[in-house]
Structure formats: structure tokens, C-alpha cells
Amino acid sequence: MLLIGSHVSFTSKEQLVISVKEAISYGANSFMFYTGAPQNTKRCKIDYDLTLKARNLLYDNNIELKNIVVHAPYIINLANNEKEDNYRFAIKFLKEEINRVSMLGIEKLVLHPGSYVNLDLETGINNVINALNEVIAPNQSVKICLETMAGKGSEICFDINHIKRIIDKVKYSDKLMVCLDTCHLNDAGYDMSKFDEFLDEFDKLIGIDKIGCVHVNDSKNIIGSHKDRHENIGYGTIGFDALLNVIYNKRLDNIPMILETPYVSDEDGNKRVYPPYKFEIDMIKDKKFNKNLYDDITKYYERLK
Ligand code: FE
Ligand code: FE
Ligand code: ZN
């Protein structure tokens, strides 16, 4: 079955309830959210009643809890331990985040492995291995999905060999999975027009069964650019057909496909105003590129105002 959804919001007041409502408004049967702002670590207590309410809403709309994904804040950096306090904080925060995720009943947590900053790649990878060995408890239900990165700055895991090395060295590696991001893979130098060959390589190295979710994004930049700037589906350098081949790939059946594409400007040109997801999901379900995507989105949301 095709599992398609997008990044949605989560607020301290309405928590998972608002995320589910937003996902439903896009026609999604899967989704991803941050338990607070992506760029900070301020987090609220998970409320039992709100979680129950959200679960009923999910049930009524045929969305399964196991198809929902949480993304850890991207300032968490396990690859750099220059400042001991920051490294310790990241480990502690991640343990707490795993708790929040399991209280919500969710099984997958996406994590950016991190950046080595002033250290070197080897040290960065080893720092992540050591941190994960501290973070992961043998009995936890949550799987950490290591995301493939673009290799911007000193990011690690732009090469799937880095991910393999981490999985090989983490004690409870059954708690680790991988999140493929098509924009990041393209920017890292993997050719998304030859995605089946990429999957063969991934399968040999890590195993397809380790893929926990896919971030489906087009890219603003050419292959190998190491930039990490997402583009709307079919409007970037990867293109609609190559992305459809990822989304409908038989080997990725039943794996959540999550859009993290940019919001669209309003008529006055204000950026990050309207979410594109409802229309991108339509385009994906129809398997037909919408060349009027931006117009359709602005018209729809201007009318709702
Ligand atoms: Fe990410
Ligand atoms: Fe991503
Ligand atoms: Zn990205």
C-alpha cells in the first residue's frame, strides 16, 4: 500500500490532535512532525488525554499509528563532542525524546546523525556510535532512523557507508533503521534517476528491510552539490518521474513517504505561507504532474482566507 504524507505541525496545546487534523486535510495516510520547534529543544509533557483523542481520530480516518514518524530537532548533534556539556545534553535530550515518542505510541524517530565541525569525519562517526550506545535501551520500542544527509558543511552520513559503519558498531543495532531523503541523496551525489541501482547497492550494504521511512523531496541543486535545499515535487533537478519511481517502488511498499517540500508564497509574495502538501499528494496519487501547482495552491488557500 502507498503510504503518503508530509511534515505537519504539533503544538503544546493540541499536541498530536492538531497533527492528525492537518494530515487529514492533505488527504494523507501517514505523516511526520517535530515534538516542538525543529530548531530548539524546548519540549512539552505529552498529555495522555490529548494522545487518546488523537488515537481515536486516527482510527476514524484509517491512519495507523505505526505509519507516523517523529523527527528529532536538528540542533541535536551527536557527531561533535568538542564541548562536553553540549554532547552530554544531546544524549540526555535524545533519551527523553525517545520517551516522548513511545508515550505517543509512535515507533519511528528520524535523526540527523550530525556534523563533526572542527573535528574530522572519523571522529564524528565514532562520536555518533558512542552516543547511540549510551542512548539506546535494549527494551525500547522506538527505532531511530538515521537520515541520509547532503554532506553540507561537515555533515556525516552523506555516504551510505557511514551509516553502515554506525549500524555495525552500535550494540543494539536492531533499534536502528535508515531514513532515505531523496533531496539529500541527490545532493550527496547519488543519481535518483537510477534509484533501482541505488536500492541494489543499499540492499547489499545495509538491507532494504532497514529502511524505516523515505523523505520525498525534489532538489533545487544539481547532483553532488552538497547544498540541501528542498524543492517542490517535479519542480527541481530530480524531477517528477524519478520521484514517482521512488514513491511507487515495489521494494518500498508500506514504507511511509514523507514530503518536506517548501511552502508556497501568497499573492503578495510573502514566503512560507501556504503548505503545498494537499496538492503534491493529489499529484502523486494521480501520477500526473501538475504544471499549475503554485497557482492551484495559492488560489485554494486565498479562497479559504
Ligand atoms: Fe531531516
Ligand atoms: Fe529529510
Ligand atoms: Zn534537508
Side-chain angles (χ1 to χ4, degrees), residues 32 34 71 74 110-112 147 149 179 181 184 215 230 260:
M32 180 180 82
Y34 292 80
H71 198 310
Y74 39 71
V110 173
L111 175 73
H112 291 184
E147 184 164 349
M149 302 309 290
C179 166
D181 185 310
H184 298 175
H215 288 167
H230 302 187
E260 303 174 295

Side-chain angles (χ1 to χ4, degrees), residues 49-213:
D49 293 331
L50 286 172
T51 305
L52 209 63
K53 198 176 161 194
R55 285 196 195 184
N56 287 325
L57 208 54
L58 286 169
Y59 183 82
D60 292 341
N61 288 279
N62 291 313
I63 304 177
E64 290 188 68
L65 209 48
K66 68 171 168 51
N67 299 328
I68 303 173
V69 180
V70 171
H71 198 310
Y74 39 71
I75 56 155
I76 289 294
N77 186 3
L78 301 183
N80 183 282
N81 65 347
E82 284 175 282
K83 289 194 182 118
E84 180 69 15
D85 284 357
N86 292 358
Y87 187 65
R88 296 310 317 165
F89 177 80
I91 291 170
K92 182 171 152 276
F93 179 90
L94 202 54
K95 283 187 191 171
E96 292 164 358
E97 184 77 347
I98 289 169
N99 256 320
R100 280 185 287 272
V101 172
S102 55
M103 280 177 78
L104 289 162
I106 293 171
E107 292 168 13
K108 288 171 182 171
L109 173 64
V110 173
L111 175 73
H112 291 184
S115 301
Y116 56 81
V117 195
N118 297 311
L119 307 172
D120 57 81
L121 185 76
E122 286 306 302
T123 313
I125 291 174
N126 283 326
N127 283 338
V128 173
I129 292 166
N130 293 334
L132 288 174
N133 274 328
E134 264 194 67
V135 165
I136 298 173
N139 58 346
Q140 73 182 47
S141 52
V142 177
K143 304 264 167 81
I144 297 173
C145 302
L146 301 171
E147 184 164 349
T148 60
M149 302 309 290
K152 184 172 137 192
S154 62
E155 272 174 358
I156 65 166
C157 293
F158 55 86
D159 180 331
I160 57 173
N161 284 286
H162 301 165
I163 294 183
K164 177 179 169 55
R165 285 173 51 196
I166 294 172
I167 292 175
D168 282 351
K169 287 278 174 62
V170 167
K171 188 172 177 206
Y172 302 112
S173 59
D174 57 315
K175 308 298 177 195
L176 290 180
M177 294 188 91
V178 181
C179 166
L180 302 179
D181 185 310
T182 55
C183 168
H184 298 175
L185 286 171
N186 170 79
D187 291 14
Y190 293 103
D191 188 349
M192 291 295 96
S193 71
K194 298 190 175 99
F195 187 68
D196 289 285
E197 287 169 33
F198 168 79
L199 275 187
D200 291 340
E201 188 190 339
F202 187 95
D203 197 31
K204 247 179 254 153
L205 203 62
I206 296 168
I208 300 234
D209 57 333
K210 278 289 197 190
I211 300 174
C213 77

